[in-house]
Amino acid sequence: MPKDYSVGDRVEFKKTHPCGGKTWEILRVGMDFKAKCETCERVIMLARNKFEKSVKKKL
């Protein structure tokens, strides 16, 4: 069952980013997710299924 995410939500991933950050801000929602690392501000795009597997919890 898909979870409800919206633009502006903050999420924590299971694995840490190479910069050491774990929290991300969602910038785009759809078939792909665009998220920005809150530590180094790197922007990534992930497919919906990969994104939902990677999320540990919604903050």
Side-chain angles (χ1 to χ4, degrees):
M1 180 170 197
K3 298 184 175 117
D4 293 327
Y5 296 107
S6 59
V7 174
D9 286 349
R10 294 175 60 231
V11 295
E12 182 177 321
F13 280 176
K14 293 176 185 174
K15 292 185 177 180
T16 59
H17 190 242
C19 72
K22 273 187 140 177
T23 58
W24 296 76
E25 178 185 358
I26 299 174
L27 302 176
R28 179 177 181 270
V29 177
M31 284 303 293
D32 295 323
F33 278 79
K34 187 181 259 188
K36 179 176 74 169
C37 178
E38 292 187 338
T39 306
C40 68
E41 300 191 5
R42 165 103 36 197
V43 176
I44 61 166
M45 284 194 73
L46 293 171
R48 177 176 283 274
N49 59 355
K50 178 126 172 111
F51 180 85
E52 289 181 349
K53 284 182 185 177
S54 300
V55 172
K56 183 176 182 181
K57 66 180 174 181
K58 189 173 171 182
L59 302 175

